[in-house]
Amino acid sequence: DGGITQSPKYLFRKEGQNVTLSCEQNLNHDAMYWYRQDPGQGLRLIYYSQIVNDFQKGDIAEGYSVSREKKESFPLTVTSAQKNPTAFYLCASGRDRVSGANVLTFGAGSRLTVL
Amino acid sequence: GQQLNQSPQSMFIQEGEDVSMNCTSSSIFNTWLWYKQEPGEGPVLLIALYKAGELTSNGRLTAQFGITRKDSFLNISASIPSDVGIYFCAGRDYSGAGSYQLTFGKGTKLSVI
């Protein structure tokens, strides 16, 4: 079955450490996204990529970095510069960003906790 | 970015009751989406709406794209325990440079008692 796989499901980090969250999709989607979710909040866009080797900052990109070396993969690194990294992180993909009819498919999420 | 006002923030209902929630925006959207998220999981698409006035059903769920293109509502009939979760609306509009932007509401948390 096609879908999006995020790993790890749970991750604990010490302050000052960088961590990388994995996101892999086999839906053959061009566009991929990273969202952050905090309790009682909507989804906030961190980064998105419309095509391999290209990505754009979203609304809250500070303290995060991404890469898009393969169509299937869009890893997110939470750096030590992110002052409040404890959150639930969601990866999504869509057919493309150009179509107004595009819908997103989400992964199951990764919960990051800073100790 | 755009702002979506989703209400209510939370609901406590008895099994069998009907549920209604809505989203409003200050700007026009060309697509409305409704997602459901269960605890510890990612959102799952319930209904997608693409035309003003469109009314679409998915089982016990019905959603409508408002005529003004600035609002949408979701109804759930005869709620059951597995309806528990957080329901998100999302609106899509043209953000320029040939691409579209998706904005999410803050969610309606549904609890069935």
Side-chain angles (χ1 to χ4, degrees), chain B residues 17-65:
Chain B
E17 287 186 8
D18 296 343
V19 174
S20 183
M21 60 190 78
N22 68 83
C23 276
T24 59
S25 169
S26 58
S27 58
I28 290 173
F29 288 118
N30 62 14
T31 301
W32 282 97
L33 307 172
W34 284 93
Y35 286 87
K36 178 188 178 185
Q37 183 180 30
E38 298 190 3
E41 299 295 326
V44 175
L45 182 69
L46 299 173
I47 294 177
L49 303 161
Y50 300 110
K51 292 175 56 177
E54 181 180 356
L55 184 71
T56 298
S57 293
N58 178 5
R60 293 178 295 106
L61 278 61
T62 302
Q64 185 161 26
F65 193 141

Side-chain angles (χ1 to χ4, degrees), chain A residues 23-34:
Chain A
C23 178
E24 303 279 332
Q25 56 102 356
N26 60 4
L27 299 167
N28 199 33
H29 284 168
D30 288 317
M32 296 188 74
Y33 306 79
W34 274 104

